[in-house]
Amino acid sequence: MNYKHTALIVDDEKRITFELKDFFEINDYDTLRAHSIKEELEILSQRDIDILVQDIRLHDGSGLDVIAQVKENYPNVDIIMISGHGDMDTVIEAMRLGATDYLKKPFSHNDILIALERIRKSRENKSKISTLSEQKEFITDKVKQKLCSNIVSISESSKAMLESANRISQFDNVNVFLHGETGTGKEVLASLIHSISARKDELFVPVNCSAIPETMFESEFFGYEKGAFTGAEKNKKGYFQLANNGTLFLDEIGDMPYSIQSKLLRAIEAQEFFPLGSQKSIKVNVRIISATNRNLDKMIAQGNFRSDLYHRLNGFKIELPALKERIEDIEQLTYNFVKRFSNSVKKVIPEISQDVFNHLKQLNYSGNIRELKNIVEKAMIFCDSNTLTLSHFGVDKNNDKNGELGTSLNLEENEKKLIELALKKTNNNQSKAAILLGISRHALIRRLEKYAL
């Protein structure tokens, strides 16, 4: 007969073990019997047991010692303790050591069924919790992978940025200040810091400070109680409470009105606040990551930003380089945007012409990575072939040298002009010029010597 589970009955009264064996086998348990601790330990070492029915007093020792040993060596075994003595101290000790249930002799078959049902429900709940935990870990890993794929770090400046983010993520109680031009990926970097920190299992709450009116600051950040004001029909949690034990990302912090900066400062310093209409304060544990493209030092000097708030936010500062400072990253960023767009519209990922990369490296991205993304996505809309070319970017290949090359077909003459053009576009930065030209820096240096440039 194929049984679903296996039970071990341990009691020095053979009559009890025989009766229980019959009952358990009727209920689909392959059932083994032991009449001493020695026999019990031998069986446990040889067979996988699901349910252990353990008598406390045996002639060769105490069942309490066995319970402790079983839970240490076989943690998945559920133990039903049985005893003819109602000593409550013994019962409490058995439960503390890991027994799942307790039955006092004499007990009925119905008592055993109830105990088995409790064990079944307990196992079911543990399985659900384990599954949810695995799903949460899986989702967290997927988020982390997605964020990492969005951050390209080929250039030295972007490598330094990512190294700083990785380092500060390990100190999850230190506030982080991100400074960089619009479109450099401040929210993506903030999300990455959160996702690899000890707070990763809690919420990451992004807030655009420039979008919150002064009159709504307290209700949005601290929440409110029902009836706090006209229209407050139910309790509402604010950003601080939502981000409790997680990360609150304050984007465009430089656009926050001066009049409400003191309220934000108090909440950050105390990690405590009062919701509107409430007399009870709420304690939180929130990490703040803030970001701006504005010069806060200048704003402080002009009296437009509080220096104490700035120093509270600026526990660790990361500068995000502009795209023109990380030209080496443009090829990989372009490929990532092409791949993402193709996946979203279920389109085959096209090859990308080298002319496209050369063209994109010459642009002056005032909107940084966000601008590059928009340019690439627009080109993908027009791409109906298996190769993304300059024509999809609205560029005439023959005119893509800005008219600075002559009509001569002399190779050396045009090579010299191309080098001059590349140096001009990169402010004489040889490394960046070499990337534009598609050659190594050493190859460029040789040509510079050759043409006396």
Side-chain angles (χ1 to χ4, degrees), residues 382-403:
F382 290 101
C383 180
D384 52 5
S385 63
N386 58 3
T387 304
L388 189 64
T389 66
L390 283 176
S391 63
H392 300 122
F393 290 82
V395 176
D396 183 347
K397 182 176 180 180
N398 295 323
N399 295 326
D400 191 38
K401 299 295 184 289
N402 299 320

Short mmCIF file of all heavy atoms in Angstrom, two decimals, residues 382-403:
data_model
loop_
_atom_site.label_atom_id
_atom_site.label_comp_id
_atom_site.label_asym_id
_atom_site.label_seq_id
_atom_site.Cartn_x
_atom_site.Cartn_y
_atom_site.Cartn_z
N PHE A 382 10.38 54.63 -36.37
CA PHE A 382 10.52 54.69 -37.82
C PHE A 382 11.25 53.49 -38.40
O PHE A 382 11.29 53.31 -39.62
CB PHE A 382 11.26 55.97 -38.22
CG PHE A 382 10.47 57.23 -38.01
CD1 PHE A 382 10.71 58.03 -36.90
CD2 PHE A 382 9.47 57.59 -38.89
CE1 PHE A 382 9.98 59.19 -36.68
CE2 PHE A 382 8.73 58.75 -38.68
CZ PHE A 382 8.98 59.55 -37.59
N CYS A 383 11.83 52.66 -37.53
CA CYS A 383 12.62 51.52 -38.01
C CYS A 383 11.71 50.36 -38.37
O CYS A 383 11.03 49.79 -37.52
CB CYS A 383 13.62 51.09 -36.94
SG CYS A 383 14.65 49.69 -37.44
N ASP A 384 11.70 50.01 -39.66
CA ASP A 384 10.89 48.87 -40.11
C ASP A 384 11.76 47.82 -40.80
O ASP A 384 11.28 47.03 -41.61
CB ASP A 384 9.76 49.34 -41.05
CG ASP A 384 10.30 50.20 -42.19
OD1 ASP A 384 11.53 50.34 -42.28
OD2 ASP A 384 9.48 50.72 -42.97
N SER A 385 13.04 47.84 -40.49
CA SER A 385 13.97 46.86 -41.07
C SER A 385 14.72 46.16 -39.93
O SER A 385 14.46 46.43 -38.75
CB SER A 385 14.96 47.55 -42.01
OG SER A 385 15.76 48.47 -41.28
N ASN A 386 15.63 45.29 -40.28
CA ASN A 386 16.36 44.56 -39.24
C ASN A 386 17.64 45.28 -38.82
O ASN A 386 18.46 44.74 -38.08
CB ASN A 386 16.69 43.14 -39.69
CG ASN A 386 17.51 43.13 -40.97
OD1 ASN A 386 17.88 44.19 -41.49
ND2 ASN A 386 17.80 41.95 -41.49
N THR A 387 17.84 46.51 -39.31
CA THR A 387 19.00 47.31 -38.93
C THR A 387 18.58 48.75 -38.66
O THR A 387 17.87 49.36 -39.45
CB THR A 387 20.08 47.30 -40.03
OG1 THR A 387 20.45 45.96 -40.33
CG2 THR A 387 21.32 48.08 -39.59
N LEU A 388 19.03 49.28 -37.53
CA LEU A 388 18.75 50.66 -37.18
C LEU A 388 19.86 51.52 -37.79
O LEU A 388 21.04 51.36 -37.48
CB LEU A 388 18.74 50.83 -35.65
CG LEU A 388 18.27 52.16 -35.08
CD1 LEU A 388 16.80 52.41 -35.42
CD2 LEU A 388 18.46 52.19 -33.57
N THR A 389 19.47 52.43 -38.69
CA THR A 389 20.45 53.23 -39.42
C THR A 389 20.24 54.71 -39.17
O THR A 389 19.27 55.13 -38.54
CB THR A 389 20.36 52.95 -40.93
OG1 THR A 389 19.09 53.44 -41.41
CG2 THR A 389 20.47 51.47 -41.24
N LEU A 390 21.16 55.52 -39.72
CA LEU A 390 21.07 56.98 -39.56
C LEU A 390 19.77 57.55 -40.11
O LEU A 390 19.25 58.52 -39.58
CB LEU A 390 22.26 57.65 -40.25
CG LEU A 390 23.61 57.59 -39.51
CD1 LEU A 390 24.70 58.20 -40.37
CD2 LEU A 390 23.53 58.33 -38.18
N SER A 391 19.26 56.93 -41.16
CA SER A 391 18.03 57.45 -41.77
C SER A 391 16.87 57.42 -40.80
O SER A 391 15.97 58.26 -40.86
CB SER A 391 17.68 56.63 -43.02
OG SER A 391 17.41 55.28 -42.67
N HIS A 392 16.86 56.46 -39.87
CA HIS A 392 15.79 56.38 -38.87
C HIS A 392 15.88 57.52 -37.86
O HIS A 392 14.92 57.80 -37.15
CB HIS A 392 15.82 55.03 -38.17
CG HIS A 392 15.64 53.87 -39.10
ND1 HIS A 392 16.58 52.85 -39.20
CD2 HIS A 392 14.67 53.59 -40.01
CE1 HIS A 392 16.16 51.98 -40.11
NE2 HIS A 392 15.02 52.41 -40.61
N PHE A 393 17.06 58.16 -37.80
CA PHE A 393 17.25 59.31 -36.91
C PHE A 393 17.06 60.63 -37.65
O PHE A 393 17.32 61.70 -37.12
CB PHE A 393 18.66 59.27 -36.29
CG PHE A 393 18.86 58.16 -35.30
CD1 PHE A 393 19.16 56.87 -35.72
CD2 PHE A 393 18.73 58.39 -33.93
CE1 PHE A 393 19.34 55.84 -34.81
CE2 PHE A 393 18.91 57.37 -33.02
CZ PHE A 393 19.20 56.09 -33.46
N GLY A 394 16.62 60.53 -38.92
CA GLY A 394 16.42 61.72 -39.72
C GLY A 394 17.71 62.37 -40.17
O GLY A 394 17.75 63.59 -40.38
N VAL A 395 18.77 61.56 -40.30
CA VAL A 395 20.09 62.09 -40.67
C VAL A 395 20.47 61.57 -42.04
O VAL A 395 20.36 60.37 -42.32
CB VAL A 395 21.16 61.67 -39.63
CG1 VAL A 395 22.54 62.14 -40.07
CG2 VAL A 395 20.81 62.24 -38.26
N ASP A 396 20.94 62.46 -42.89
CA ASP A 396 21.48 62.09 -44.20
C ASP A 396 22.93 61.70 -43.99
O ASP A 396 23.76 62.53 -43.60
CB ASP A 396 21.37 63.26 -45.18
CG ASP A 396 21.85 62.90 -46.59
OD1 ASP A 396 22.48 61.84 -46.74
OD2 ASP A 396 21.57 63.69 -47.50
N LYS A 397 23.24 60.45 -44.24
CA LYS A 397 24.58 59.96 -43.98
C LYS A 397 25.64 60.80 -44.68
O LYS A 397 26.72 61.04 -44.15
CB LYS A 397 24.69 58.49 -44.43
CG LYS A 397 26.05 57.86 -44.16
CD LYS A 397 26.05 56.40 -44.54
CE LYS A 397 27.41 55.77 -44.27
NZ LYS A 397 27.43 54.33 -44.62
N ASN A 398 25.34 61.27 -45.89
CA ASN A 398 26.32 62.03 -46.65
C ASN A 398 26.58 63.41 -46.05
O ASN A 398 27.59 64.04 -46.33
CB ASN A 398 25.85 62.20 -48.10
CG ASN A 398 25.79 60.86 -48.82
OD1 ASN A 398 26.63 60.00 -48.59
ND2 ASN A 398 24.77 60.69 -49.66
N ASN A 399 25.63 63.88 -45.22
CA ASN A 399 25.79 65.21 -44.62
C ASN A 399 26.06 65.14 -43.12
O ASN A 399 25.92 66.13 -42.42
CB ASN A 399 24.53 66.06 -44.86
CG ASN A 399 24.32 66.35 -46.33
OD1 ASN A 399 25.29 66.50 -47.06
ND2 ASN A 399 23.07 66.44 -46.75
N ASP A 400 26.43 63.98 -42.65
CA ASP A 400 26.58 63.81 -41.20
C ASP A 400 27.94 64.26 -40.68
O ASP A 400 28.30 63.96 -39.57
CB ASP A 400 26.36 62.34 -40.81
CG ASP A 400 26.23 62.19 -39.30
OD1 ASP A 400 25.62 63.07 -38.68
OD2 ASP A 400 26.78 61.21 -38.77
N LYS A 401 28.69 64.94 -41.49
CA LYS A 401 29.97 65.44 -41.02
C LYS A 401 29.93 66.95 -40.86
O LYS A 401 30.95 67.64 -40.87
CB LYS A 401 31.09 65.06 -42.00
CG LYS A 401 31.25 63.55 -42.18
CD LYS A 401 31.69 62.91 -40.89
CE LYS A 401 31.95 61.43 -41.06
NZ LYS A 401 30.77 60.64 -41.25
N ASN A 402 28.70 67.50 -40.83
CA ASN A 402 28.47 68.92 -40.60
C ASN A 402 29.15 69.81 -41.64
O ASN A 402 29.50 70.95 -41.39
CB ASN A 402 28.98 69.34 -39.20
CG ASN A 402 28.25 68.59 -38.11
OD1 ASN A 402 27.05 68.38 -38.18
ND2 ASN A 402 28.98 68.18 -37.09
N GLY A 403 29.37 69.26 -42.84
CA GLY A 403 29.94 70.04 -43.92
C GLY A 403 31.39 70.40 -43.72
O GLY A 403 31.94 71.22 -44.45
#
